[in-house]
Amino acid sequence: MSKQLPSTQRDVEALIRPSKCPEGNRFNVRNLAQFIATAGLLATGYRYLWLPWAHPINYRIGASNGEATSRENRLEDFQQCAIKNLLDTGLPFLENASPITTSDFQERRDRLAQALVAEDVDAFVVEPGYTFKYYGNVSQPEWEVWEPEERPFLMVVRPVLDQTTGQVKANTTFLCPSFEAERARLLGMPFTEDIQIVPWEEHWDPYDTLHQSDVFLGVSRVPRLMVDEEMRDFIQRGLGSGGFDVVGLRGRVEEVRQIKTAREIEILRAVNTGTVEAVRQMRKCLYPGLTENEIATVLDNALRAAGMEPFFDIVLFDENASNPHGGTDGEKVLEAETFVLIDVGLVCLGSSLRVFLGYLSYFLPPFLEKPAEDATLSPKLKEKLKVWDIVFEAQTQSIHQMRENSTAASVDIAARQVITEAGYGGTFTHRVGHGIGIKAHESPYLNKGNHGTLLKTGMTFTSEPGIYLVDKFGVRHEDILLVQGNEEPQLLTGTRAQGPWDP
């Protein structure tokens, strides 16, 4: 039935609020200004409880003279309700967010260059992907939309000493197929001067071409190159056979992306807080009989109406939620005591930070009245509420541990101890969290074995402990947090849930 809803870009265009993206040149259209402006449409407080839910079972959306509307009309009204609640708001979370600029990209590369010196590395080499996007604003699909290219196109960042200032700066060169050189220049990458290209012909060895170029003139040893986990094996092997010493990502270089700048933090705060509000606003419109797929479709279309594009949206009910990432057909029906999981991520193609959130919420539908403290509950609802509280306390303890110089393992262990002591130890089946930024999942990873990684101020993480009772239900709480010294971490998702009726 969800197919009755407008789900294509064309169908939703009529619902989309006019873009508030700043005008600018080619690069600015691609950069974070677009993302911030559109994401800001999500970053809102609420003013409306548009549908009266005092007697939701009997309430018929759009009914006239006692006649119930069709299922299709109810679905359409559900969608309009979600969109109205989301768009008919102010934009308070955008107040401190601002676009990533060319100078920000240069500053990132300069910090990378300084980290390379600290790690005794001669250059950092990346191919189009998340890391290339972070330093050069080009993702893999933006370079080759159909598939990863077999011809290496590499960004090579070298540290050089600025003789004027005495500071280490980044010098960036691109190894590029000769016939693609002009297209590389047309990408509008964030540089103030023309990009430097080392071209290679199809019958040449590209890695030997790089080694023989003037990029590494003055390096008195075998040039040491650092690569990250996105570098494909055949390129790493090619660099090695081409005369380079290739090492993996580590230390100060890895921390350049892990430790967020003030501008990145405000963007993360705006987008994550706004997404939480989008889910909360949509929840108000739920009614019995909706399927998981229908809720996912409506939430996706509401986000699109605000100028955003979901790249995943997981909606699961009860026993389906006992599998943390789903896998069922999406046809389970919403009932009064159903526990609802919503896990959603957004993408803005062309933005300088592509993925920003991993927000997940577990809640009960609004048409189930919150019982009085002395009310008699059904055994199933009683267990759900008990588990909800245990997981929430586990998240609380993990958050308390998220401080400067705590180990990544200690954050996981703090949550795991609460769940284990409550008798559910074997049901917490994944790590408690991970870093988040340009990728939905990025290092450092908060698992109980990661004793070697220390948290540092400016790192951002998810905290998402869970309990999964197979064939019954699952509960996970997730929020995004910023490490800030020895103080409590700062919440980047607005406000935490207050309970299953107030997620």
Side-chain angles (χ1 to χ4, degrees):
M1 298 302 294
S2 62
K3 293 181 180 178
Q4 301 293 329
L5 298 168
S7 58
T8 66
Q9 182 63 37
R10 184 192 64 190
D11 294 331
V12 176
E13 278 179 357
L15 305 173
I16 296 177
R17 175 174 289 189
S19 173
K20 294 190 177 183
C21 296
E23 297 296 328
N25 57 28
R26 172 189 290 266
F27 168 68
N28 284 334
V29 172
R30 287 163 38 86
N31 77 5
L32 196 54
Q34 178 186 27
F35 185 78
I36 293 173
T38 53
L41 294 172
L42 302 180
T44 58
Y46 59 82
R47 293 181 240 164
Y48 295 95
L49 185 57
W50 193 46
L51 300 178
W53 292 112
H55 303 286
I57 301 300
N58 297 321
Y59 183 74
R60 295 178 295 222
I61 303 174
S64 175
N65 299 322
E67 296 180 1
T69 61
S70 68
R71 179 172 178 78
E72 290 79 7
N73 287 341
R74 290 196 81 188
L75 284 169
E76 178 61 24
D77 286 342
F78 169 41
Q79 177 162 278
Q80 293 296 334
C81 172
I83 291 172
K84 177 178 175 63
N85 284 355
L86 179 57
L87 296 185
D88 197 7
T89 61
L91 304 174
F93 304 112
L94 278 184
E95 292 177 359
N96 296 318
S98 58
I100 298 294
T101 65
T102 298
S103 62
D104 291 320
F105 280 103
Q106 183 61 55
E107 189 268 341
R108 290 175 180 176
R109 294 190 293 268
D110 288 342
R111 284 191 288 118
L112 171 61
Q114 293 153 17
L116 291 170
V117 172
E119 295 296 329
D120 191 29
V121 174
D122 298 307
F124 188 65
V125 182
V126 292
E127 61 171 322
Y130 286 103
T131 305
F132 198 122
K133 186 76 177 173
Y134 187 78
Y135 293 112
N137 205 31
V138 176
S139 67
Q140 188 276 318
E142 288 169 321
W143 175 243
E144 294 292 358
V145 68
W146 49 87
E147 63 185 10
E149 175 64 77
E150 76 278 7
R151 303 177 181 94
F153 171 52
L154 305 178
M155 178 165 61
V156 183
V157 181
R158 281 205 60 211
V160 296
L161 183 64
D162 187 320
Q163 299 296 333
T164 303
T165 64
Q167 296 180 334
V168 173
K169 297 287 187 180
N171 179 274
T172 305
T173 305
F174 296 88
L175 178 69
C176 183
S178 295
F179 78 98
E180 297 276 40
E182 182 58 26
R183 187 162 72 89
R185 293 187 179 94
L186 292 174
L187 289 170
M189 288 184 282
F191 292 84
T192 56
E193 299 176 349
D194 292 341
I195 62 173
Q196 304 175 67
I197 292 179
V198 174
W200 60 276
E201 301 290 343
E202 297 266 28
H203 58 288
W204 296 356
D205 181 327
Y207 313 106
D208 182 66
T209 300
L210 179 62
H211 190 267
Q212 297 301 322
S213 72
D214 61 3
V215 173
F216 295 98
L217 287 178
V219 178
S220 58
R221 62 181 180 184
V222 173
R224 181 172 297 161
L225 308 183
M226 183 174 285
V227 299
D228 70 5
E229 70 277 3
E230 292 184 26
M231 181 70 78
R232 288 173 291 172
D233 178 68
F234 80 90
I235 295 180
Q236 294 190 50
R237 288 187 285 109
L239 291 168
S241 64
F244 294 102
D245 176 17
V246 181
V247 299
L249 186 64
R250 67 187 184 212
R252 290 275 301 278
V253 175
E254 189 170 22
E255 287 178 1
V256 174
R257 257 181 55 187
Q258 290 176 341
I259 299 175
K260 273 54 178 181
T261 65
R263 196 188 301 270
E264 290 168 347
I265 289 166
E266 292 309 322
I267 294 166
L268 284 163
R269 189 196 315 278
V271 176
N272 282 286
T273 302
T275 306
V276 172
E277 287 300 326
V279 174
R280 287 171 174 164
Q281 297 294 342
M282 185 276 298
R283 176 185 174 272
K284 299 175 184 178
C285 307
L286 297 175
Y287 60 87
L290 287 164
T291 67
E292 297 158 318
N293 285 337
E294 288 165 347
I295 292 174
T297 297
V298 165
L299 180 58
D300 285 352
N301 286 338
L303 293 167
R304 291 187 180 108
M308 302 302 298
E309 181 59 35
F311 78 96
F312 77 86
D313 188 349
I314 302 171
V315 178
L316 301 169
F317 299 161
D318 283 347
E319 66 268 23
N320 289 350
S322 66
N323 185 353
H325 283 167
T328 47
D329 63 6
E331 293 303 316
K332 190 169 177 59
V333 172
L334 183 65
E335 299 174 350
E337 293 189 0
T338 299
F339 249 5
V340 179
L341 171 155
I342 293 183
D343 191 356
V344 59
L346 302 181
V347 59
C348 181
L349 297 177
S351 66
S352 58
L353 288 183
R354 186 173 182 270
V355 179
F356 285 91
L357 61 131
Y359 173 69
L360 181 141
S361 179
Y362 268 84
F363 55 78
L364 288 162
F367 49 82
L368 175 65
E369 185 176 352
K370 185 175 181 179
E373 290 185 8
D374 59 350
T376 300
L377 306 177
S378 70
K380 291 176 66 175
L381 181 58
K382 186 175 181 179
E383 185 178 21
K384 288 178 179 180
L385 298 180
K386 173 187 174 184
V387 170
W388 196 100
D389 288 340
I390 292 169
V391 176
F392 189 80
E393 176 61 21
Q395 187 194 47
T396 298
Q397 294 307 315
S398 76
I399 290 172
H400 290 332
Q401 193 63 32
M402 206 175 286
R403 300 169 185 264
E404 177 98 26
N405 292 324
S406 293
T407 66
S410 70
V411 183
D412 180 286
I413 292 169
R416 202 167 297 276
Q417 183 174 345
V418 173
I419 292 173
T420 299
E421 290 178 354
Y424 293 92
T427 68
F428 182 13
T429 55
H430 55 76
R431 66 196 176 203
V432 78
H434 52 81
I436 189 166
I438 195 170
K439 292 181 70 175
H441 293 184
E442 63 181 35
S443 67
Y445 301 104
L446 304 177
N447 64 70
K448 65 180 182 179
N450 190 1
H451 296 279
T453 298
L454 299 180
L455 276 54
K456 296 192 175 181
T457 296
M459 290 181 174
T460 51
F461 294 98
T462 68
S463 173
E464 46 182 310
I467 290 176
Y468 307 97
L469 305 179
V470 177
D471 295 329
K472 296 176 71 174
F473 63 91
V475 174
R476 182 162 81 251
H477 293 305
E478 180 170 356
D479 283 288
I480 314 300
L481 299 117
L482 166 69
V483 178
Q484 44 181 12
N486 196 39
E487 301 176 5
E488 284 281 289
Q490 191 175 123
L491 191 68
L492 298 182
T493 38
T495 57
R496 291 180 70 196
Q498 302 299 306
W501 280 274
D502 187 12

